Amino acid sequence: MARGKAYAALGNGVASRIVGERNEQRPAFLASVAAASDGQFVPVPGGLVILNEKSCVIGAVGISGASSDEDEQAALAGIHEAGFRAGLAPD
């Protein structure tokens, strides 16, 4: 789950929460992307892109194990603790 959340965030350049929300009315699309990625696409909260000081994407993190909202908060805290910024949505 955690890897799939990170994959969804990195593949779209926004938080996995945003990916899911943007496509709520498109369940067939989400199912197709999940199938095409061998299940490595999980568009629920808990996946965030990591930005450097120049706002460039340098990676992503996914957290799983608690509620999706708690997972997202843990990911956000970890990114900030490491000295980076989280990319939640495009500016």
Side-chain angles (χ1 to χ4, degrees), residues 4 33-42:
V33 173
S37 68
D38 293 326
Q40 293 189 34
F41 179 85
V42 181

Side-chain angles (χ1 to χ4, degrees), residues 5-67:
K5 291 177 181 185
Y7 190 87
L10 189 59
N12 289 276
V14 298
S16 55
R17 170 190 299 276
I18 301 298
V19 176
E21 288 173 353
R22 285 183 178 169
N23 292 289
E24 283 179 343
Q25 303 304 316
R26 301 173 62 196
F29 171 77
L30 290 177
S32 296
V33 173
S37 68
D38 293 326
Q40 293 189 34
F41 179 85
V42 181
V44 297
L48 300 173
V49 292
I50 303 167
L51 306 174
N52 67 11
E53 67 281 351
K54 295 181 181 179
S55 295
C56 294
V57 175
I58 59 170
V61 64
I63 304 284
S64 187
S67 74

